[in-house]
Amino acid sequence: MASSGVHRTSLIAGLLFVVLGVLFLLDALDAINLKGAYVWPVALIVVGLAVLWGGLTASRRRGGEP
Amino acid sequence: MSDELPPEGESETPPAETSEPEAEPKGTAILETGPPIPPPVPPPSRAHKLPLTRLMLGALFVAGGALWLLGALDVVDVSVTAALSVALIVVGLALLAGSFTGRHTGMITIGIVLTAGLALASTFDIRLEGGIGQRNERPASVAELKSEYKLGVGQLTIDLTGIIFAPGTTTHIKARVGIGQLTVHVPANGYVFADATAGLGEVLLFGRQSSGFDVELSTPVLNGIRPGVSGRLILELSVGLGQVTVDGQ
């Protein structure tokens, strides 16, 4: 998963954690109101996108059609 | 932990043949063509790759312990959810920086655990601030009242039965428990508006009961309607995980 010296998984996970951390911090400080009704569907979407991304990149590595 | 340094390689190369082969008897010419000797394997690189996961975990423990200690000493009042959010940001930044040095599975695991905990806390509106334990508040007058009472985990009881709320006045009180039980006793003839919520649990409001996820009960009507006799008391009560009880005594 490394390309041009950057490990893509670590990069994406790092970006995701920073964004989520900022959102949770704003929620803890009452600047925004994160509701469970939004958190879990978004989490499911993110997990789904990660699975799709993993499947596509694995397929490309093998040289097959996605 | 993939970012740990590999064990020191045992890459000893086979000793090179230095001795001269024994002289063959005259008249015989034997050409030996054995398998080629593989080139010596270089020892694993001992580059300065820091064990980021261990460093991060250690730093998080030290920072968490320090904040906990400062909170116990009443030096600072730190919200656990805010502290965990900052920890998640730090883990993310460390991953961004570490993405140039390879995979860091351990740190990704830490980030996932933090995210799951924060998502759960956010779902049930669990605010872990204000300490842990059992606390009984029994203010004797309006002057002794706090505008907000908080407890992270445990049982918080606020007894307002000893207070006389002067007619024509409005007193606003907020109380929040992260995980546990919140009980408020109000004067039986009080002029009370109460709004109580529980992320997951039960709300008991002057005998009315509701339970489940994201529970909310409020008193649209006055409890003991005597607006001319008592001042108005407005209560905003919430529990992340647990029970809220309001009763008149």
Side-chain angles (χ1 to χ4, degrees), chain B residues 27-52:
Chain B
T28 60
I30 301 170
L31 182 64
E32 288 190 10
T33 56
I37 299 172
V41 179
S45 171
R46 306 276 299 177
H48 297 289
K49 185 182 174 187
L50 291 170
L52 275 180

Side-chain angles (χ1 to χ4, degrees), chain B residues 12-81:
Chain B
E12 291 182 12
T13 54
E17 291 288 339
T18 53
S19 57
E20 292 290 330
E22 289 181 10
E24 295 292 335
K26 285 181 182 177
T28 60
I30 301 170
L31 182 64
E32 288 190 10
T33 56
I37 299 172
V41 179
S45 171
R46 306 276 299 177
H48 297 289
K49 185 182 174 187
L50 291 170
L52 275 180
T53 302
R54 285 186 185 180
L55 291 176
M56 180 57 57
L57 204 57
L60 288 179
F61 283 162
V62 170
L67 285 175
W68 193 348
L69 185 62
L70 290 173
L73 294 171
D74 282 333
V75 177
V76 290
D77 186 15
V78 181
S79 158
V80 175
T81 41

Side-chain angles (χ1 to χ4, degrees), chain B residues 130-189:
Chain B
I132 297 172
Q134 184 171 2
R135 194 176 301 163
N136 291 302
E137 301 280 354
R138 195 183 172 90
S141 66
V142 174
E144 287 183 16
L145 278 173
K146 298 176 193 169
S147 62
E148 188 163 11
Y149 295 88
K150 291 179 192 171
L151 184 67
V153 180
Q155 190 174 25
L156 173 61
T157 302
I158 305 170
D159 188 347
L160 305 174
T161 54
I163 299 180
I164 297 170
F165 296 97
T169 61
T170 299
T171 307
H172 199 135
I173 297 173
K174 280 186 182 178
R176 169 180 281 177
V177 171
I179 300 173
Q181 195 170 25
L182 171 60
T183 305
V184 181
H185 303 304
V186 298
N189 62 346

